[in-house]
């Protein structure tokens, strides 16, 4: 902030990844300063194991100078020089999001509520589920269509093709599996890789697979958790974005664990989606770099 | 408490397990009332899955009546009638404890400090380790012997026999593996079963086996944890007593995880040992029933 | 549980408070055993400072014996003998609940969702607020009326009389202030004392009064919290039922604290209400005794 | 990291504060790049309320170029141009630290253990206390002197003069009040301002003053906490560095709270001291900016 400065400004977010070497920050910061940009938040990570550099910069540019055009041109040069993958967009860009759900709608209800009160800066293009809308306990907001895409073992390829068509038609940039209890095919997982977030109802890597709360009860653990991760071809092995846990006791039945788990799942998924929407998650092979505020 | 009552009282703790059926609490409470006993704390658990009943009662008895003799006689009858396993001892009984350690002594140091200031009601009979005492950074309290029991692949049976002899000579009722980095043989584990607590440096069942913090780093988890459990023949599968976790980030190296893990390990182990010493942990097959205050 | 036993049983919950003295548990447990009752959960607390005894017992009775009539008769005698305050009701009794709200409806939305999926065993008789229903972002379930009770400095006594009338007409046993941003009069607080739960948006006793998140930001705290408590005449001083916190950083603006606070508030209030509905909270002067499962 | 690069490098840490304006990061990063510096970690904060900019940069410089001399010269110019307060030092600089203690030595014992195993990069110059060394349960490491500085109401000015002399003689850069139960005079607090960390045994701003755990018990809170803060003239009002809490129950006596509090206090103080030693804490008037790894 530059107090007293009345120039209208717009905020942009730049994220970039490249091989680490000296001068990256200087190049980007100098390009920004040349455009009268004012950095408001910057985070970077230099992975000592892989030699990869990750950066997220939020900055303000004077509106009169034609937005981010000049800076984008400079970044073209810098990106080429350093071999960067980079992404630049206005902070107020609201990504198009498709939510998939099955019968249990606690994560969906939570995301919808947060979206309604302005906590989730996304453009919710549709909700789809493998059950009729009537199974849901939550009402969809006006203007958000529900697509019933039933699935059986036999129709799985067709159903996934329908999801794929829906993603393409709606232009969804992110697909959220909000307790969508179907296992995506390898092909579908690969197609959605990096732009699909799943909530797994266990503290991965413990209790992979089905009925994790029952597994947790049988093992007698004293804490249960949930894991939000990007979908990749390896089921339950995608890059982890966020995790959380709660204490449980011997007196908690499997049903109690399911109930406690609902609270963990919804807050972990909401947090992961919010981090993603705010472009605070970068991929580092099978792991993530997360730059929270 | 009965304010105004000046009768000298001593406190005892009764724990019991049996098949659930009506009348257990009535029988025990009536026997206590007949002995002028005053219950100060009581917890029970009726496992709906197995039909087993678990109870822990702390109560005060007038000293003049000859301590717990009369009540013990009544419990003999009740125990037989209900097919109970039960245990009765004065609250101030301090179990004899042997601590095993390797090179890393953060858990040992923590237990020793807590013991010194009165937080750990145990009779510390000895510390033993597979390295010379000089590797430890902490000093042992006066009067607590250190036994150097070196081990190699070849001498493992003999070394375990030495530990066994030490347990028998000292009368240790509890053996604490305070980051004792040797894998006990199945025979030794079975021999110590139910009276030996281990701290595993991961949030079991995730990351079993060696170098869990390196496994956690490679997987990119966002939380790490530690697990205190009873030793049984199944390595890393013993009944869990206590677990805890902490958040970590992409910037944490494996060494950072090890350092963060030290804090988790020492508090989880201390908590498990304290719960055990206070007879707040009962075994329920491969799980535990824990009655914290 | 008595496996193999097919007798139809109903579960009841007994809570009691009295001056501590030997024999209370024996009397109650024996009465229960005489009625073929089977205790499924029991907790007690003997306050060493005040000499008061607190107990909660859940038990099953055979249906054929006429429900809890015989046991209730026995409790009449026991209650008189020990000078008890006691309360007995079937576990499936669903208390009538009235929720009050203002503009911010995150706590209301959360309670409604939990109620819809069966997490909140209450009979929701009405929602009332000092703003028109249109300000709410959440839809009320069919059959739950909304009462708009506007308030000004001048009309406060009348408005409170309207709430009072609503409580009486609906027979509400519990009033939940779900971020109802009006300060109740002393008279109203006294009238609702012990049957009204409020959520205060700070970690009491820190930051009493208005705009606690702004106070927290100004003070530079590193954690914020929320407190659910019974309403009493002393504003922000009522007996605390539940509290929780989250870490915050220097980068969190007051608005960020408000947003993070919403998550804390809704889970703390939901927990407190659930504990109350399950009769797990007993009053101990200005404090509470809480017996979680 | 620049894999394959064998140039010997040393790591330095730069912290700076100034009025925010565009170009700060560009100036610093360009100066670093000109010196062949490689940024390994950078964090910044732009306080929207005060217009103040805060930055911490860790970077590696080739050793052959004469260390940080050239960069320091450039920073002289940049610092003047931007009106910065800045500080530059090698990462392996170990600040001289004096620890003050009273009778309770759990925080001291914890700091000493962490120091011994290499977790606390400090040069521990002395420990001083107002009680004889014999009251401590922990042994001081060889080479660390203990100064007994008894205090009475009458001798307080002299005693504080002795502490002051000790700070000056030892060159202590940081004074840690590790449960030093004396209230420093305003004069002494002012003299130590910004270079003295205290652990307050409550979750400030709740329960200021004496016996906070007893206050917490009387109020019936469900969580207790501890606060590490810089000492300033305003007792219990200094800038907060770190806080943490734990759940407690009605069954916890004041003594139980004291015991649980010991665990919180020692980890909160250790964390605050480690953050300070690593130059991750910057002062922002009565608050702090903390850049954790």
């Amino acid at each position: 902030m530059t107090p007293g400065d009345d120039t209208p400004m717009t905020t942009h977010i730049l994220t970039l990844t490249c091989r680490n070497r000296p001068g990256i920050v200087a190049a980007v910061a100098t390009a920004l300063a040349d455009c009268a940009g004012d950095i408001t938040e910057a985070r970077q990570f230099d992975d000592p194991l892989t030699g990869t550099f990750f950066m997220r910069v939020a900055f303000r540019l004077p509106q009169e100078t034609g937005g981010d055009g000049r800076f984008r041109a400079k970044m073209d040069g810098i990106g080429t020089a350093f071999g960067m993958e980079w992404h630049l967009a206005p902070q107020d860009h609201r990504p198009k999001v498709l939510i998939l759900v099955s019968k249990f709608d606690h994560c969906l209800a939570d995301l919808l509520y947060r979206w309604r009160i302005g906590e989730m800066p996304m453009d919710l293009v549709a909700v789809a589920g493998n059950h009729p809308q009537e199974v849901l306990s939550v009402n969809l907001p006006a203007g958000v269509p529900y697509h019933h895409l039933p699935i059986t073992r036999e129709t799985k390829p067709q159903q996934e093709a329908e999801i794929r068509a829906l993603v393409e038609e709606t232009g969804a940039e992110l697909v959220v599996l909000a307790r969508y209890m179907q296992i995506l095919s390898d092909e579908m997982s690969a197609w959605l890789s990096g732009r699909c977030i799943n909530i797994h109802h266990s503290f991965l890597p413990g209790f992979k697979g089905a009925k994790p709360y029952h597994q947790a009860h049988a093992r007698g653990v004293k804490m249960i958790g949930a894991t939000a991760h990007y979908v990749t071809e390896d089921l339950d092995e995608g890059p982890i974005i966020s995790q959380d846990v709660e204490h449980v006791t011997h007196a908690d039945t499997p049903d109690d664990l399911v109930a406690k788990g609902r609270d963990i799942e919804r807050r972990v998924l909401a947090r992961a989606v919010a981090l993603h929407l705010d472009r605070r998650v970068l991929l580092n092979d099978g792991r993530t770099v997360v730059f929270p505020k």
Side-chain angles (χ1 to χ4, degrees), chain A residues 94-97 99 107-127 139-145 270 273 277:
Chain A
R94 299 166 74 88
K96 290 188 167 68
V97 175
I99 301 180
C107 286
L108 172 65
D110 186 62
L111 290 171
L112 289 179
Y113 183 79
R114 292 177 190 275
W115 176 72
R116 258 196 301 247
I117 66 170
E119 272 188 25
M120 284 283 154
M122 62 185 178
D123 177 8
L124 183 57
V125 292
V127 175
N139 296 317
L140 291 198
V144 176
V273 172
L277 293 175

Side-chain angles (χ1 to χ4, degrees), chain A residues 211-231:
Chain A
K211 289 204 167 264
Y213 294 123
H214 290 75
Q215 292 182 55
H217 184 267
R219 179 62 186 90
V221 293
K222 298 302 185 188
M223 303 185 89
I224 57 166
T227 304
H229 63 92
Y230 285 113
V231 167

Side-chain angles (χ1 to χ4, degrees), chain A residues 33-63:
Chain A
D34 288 350
C35 298
D38 180 28
I39 298 175
T40 53
E41 191 187 345
R43 291 290 297 266
Q44 60 179 76
F45 175 59
D46 175 7
D47 188 338
L49 296 187
T50 61
T52 311
F53 179 85
F54 303 84
M55 193 173 192
R56 180 188 183 278
V57 192
F59 56 92
R60 306 190 314 148
L61 285 178
Q63 284 179 9

